């Protein structure tokens, strides 16, 4: 089994900046503890928030980078890209502020060894009431073009994340994300699939076959309903991860898979969930291997 499984560390996810250094020092300590936990539980990598990185002073960032370098886990992917107050869509978009932020964000992600950033950012990309949806869509395309210039500079891939309608009023399905990626058609712009959002939008996992075949799918997030850890929900209420994994394997998906779940249950459910995910993946993999051709 060559597939690598990681877990998101929800540290500094769109949390307002707090004055004083205690809060930031605590965040750095949280990073160290989180990496240690994931390492002990057997994960292959960690996923961090861009917000965590950008909220740190340069001195604190260097401390965080040192902790990451000392860890056996790498951080190839970061999420929580654009803070809600920095609008990508609407009448108050500031190109200067966006450019400054994109340069800082991608530089710091690159410095910790990151290769990919997930563009969900519902608060930043949601179209304001009364604003033209067509114009908002064009603004997102323009934003992705700006991302491309910095992605080239720092060697970062940007993956468009479809969000359910409770979190954003635009780009709600993998199919819509693929269409957007096809329209901008930029080398560093790809697509993410998240089982949680797909479930809420009643989108079939079969769309992933096209996403993989056409080389748009660059990352996968998994969680059960209510952002619970895979394996935490039992019976009929649980998501069908066997079906999801079957489609990914049959379509020859070669990317990473991260659990993005509620931080409240991180310590208690984290290790058991990874065991469930690996067991389910291996069972599906074994089933495919044992299928004899007609």
């Amino acid at each position: 089994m060559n597939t690598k499984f990681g877990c998101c560390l929800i540290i500094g996810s769109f949390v307002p900046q707090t004055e004083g250094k205690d809060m930031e020092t605590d965040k750095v300590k949280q990073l160290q503890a989180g990496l240690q936990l994931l390492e002990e539980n057997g994960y292959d990598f960690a996923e961090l928030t861009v917000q965590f990185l950008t909220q740190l002073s340069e001195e604190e960032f260097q401390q965080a980078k040192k902790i990451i370098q000392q860890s056996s886990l790498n951080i190839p992917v970061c999420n929580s890209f654009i803070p809600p107050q920095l609008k990508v869509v609407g009448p108050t978009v500031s190109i200067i502020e966006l450019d400054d932020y994109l340069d800082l964000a991608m530089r710091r992600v690159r410095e910790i060894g990151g290769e990919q950033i997930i563009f969900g950012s519902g608060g930043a990309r949601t179209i304001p009431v009364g604003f033209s949806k067509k114009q908002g869509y064009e603004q997102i395309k323009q934003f992705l073009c700006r991302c491309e210039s910095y992605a080239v500079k720092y060697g970062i891939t940007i993956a468009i994340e479809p969000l359910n309608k409770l979190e954003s009023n635009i780009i709600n399905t993998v199919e819509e994300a693929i269409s957007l990626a096809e329209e901008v058609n930029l080398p560093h712009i790809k697509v993410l699939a998240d089982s949680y959002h797909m479930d809420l939008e009643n989108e079939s996992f079969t769309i992933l076959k096209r996403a993989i075949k056409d080389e748009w799918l660059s990352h996968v997030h998994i969680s059960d309903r209510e952002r619970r850890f895979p394996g935490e929900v039992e019976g009929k209420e649980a998501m069908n991860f066997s079906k999801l994994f079957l489609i990914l394997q049959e379509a020859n998906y070669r990317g990473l898979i991260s659990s993005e779940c509620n931080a409240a249950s991180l310590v208690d459910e984290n290790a058991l969930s990874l065991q469930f995910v690996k067991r389910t993946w291996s069972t599906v993999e074994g089933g495919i291997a044992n299928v004899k051709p007609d």
Side-chain angles (χ1 to χ4, degrees), residues 1-6 44-45 249 252-257 278 281-282 285:
M1 181 173 64
N2 296 323
T3 303
K4 294 185 181 299
F5 297 98
D44 299 308
F45 66 94
Q249 290 182 29
N252 204 27
Y253 175 69
R254 297 298 187 188
L256 304 174
I257 299 176
K278 286 187 172 181
W281 183 272
S282 296
E285 194 172 45

Side-chain angles (χ1 to χ4, degrees), residues 161-164 166-167 193-203 205 221-228 239 241 244 260-262:
E161 179 177 21
L163 301 174
N164 71 81
L166 296 175
E167 297 185 29
D194 187 313
S195 65
Y196 171 78
H197 295 297
M198 294 184 76
D199 180 65
L200 286 178
E201 292 299 313
N202 295 311
E203 186 175 26
F205 291 144
H221 278 167
I222 56 174
S223 71
D224 215 317
R225 296 181 174 100
E226 299 181 0
R227 277 295 182 200
R228 307 282 290 277
M239 203 176 292
F241 288 102
L244 170 60
E260 185 184 30
C261 309
N262 289 333

Side-chain angles (χ1 to χ4, degrees), residues 57-208:
S57 68
E58 187 60 34
E59 180 183 353
E60 291 156 346
F61 173 68
Q62 293 302 325
Q63 293 173 3
K65 187 167 74 169
K66 185 176 181 180
I67 288 171
I68 293 167
Q69 291 171 340
Q70 291 173 342
S71 172
S72 65
L73 299 182
N74 63 347
I75 302 179
V77 185
C78 292
N79 58 58
S80 293
F81 189 14
I82 309 296
Q85 67 272 18
L86 185 58
K87 300 301 181 185
V88 171
V89 167
T92 61
V93 173
S94 170
I95 298 302
I96 294 176
E97 290 183 20
L98 276 175
D99 279 343
D100 288 344
Y101 180 84
L102 290 175
D103 191 71
L104 172 66
M106 291 202 208
R107 175 174 61 80
R108 287 193 169 181
V109 169
R110 180 75 270 177
E111 282 192 38
I112 66 164
E115 300 173 351
Q116 187 166 191
I117 294 175
I118 309 307
F119 172 48
S121 310
R125 83 180 195 208
T126 292
I127 299 174
V129 176
F131 195 78
S132 165
K133 185 170 184 178
K134 181 179 180 180
Q135 185 177 349
Y137 190 77
E138 288 301 316
Q139 285 179 315
I140 291 177
K141 289 167 65 176
Q142 292 166 13
F143 168 75
L144 291 173
C145 289
R146 303 198 80 80
C147 285
E148 175 69 15
S149 63
Y150 292 99
V152 170
K153 179 179 179 180
Y154 292 110
I156 300 288
T157 295
I158 306 297
I160 305 165
E161 179 177 21
L163 301 174
N164 71 81
K165 292 184 181 70
L166 296 175
E167 297 185 29
S168 178
N169 58 8
I170 189 167
I171 315 168
N172 305 120
T173 65
V174 173
E175 185 173 14
E176 291 171 346
I178 293 173
S179 295
L180 174 58
E182 288 176 337
E183 286 186 49
V184 296
N185 193 28
L186 297 167
H188 295 81
I189 305 300
K190 299 294 181 180
V191 171
L192 169 134
D194 187 313
S195 65
Y196 171 78
H197 295 297
M198 294 184 76
D199 180 65
L200 286 178
E201 292 299 313
N202 295 311
E203 186 175 26
S204 172
F205 291 144
T206 56
I207 186 65
L208 302 182

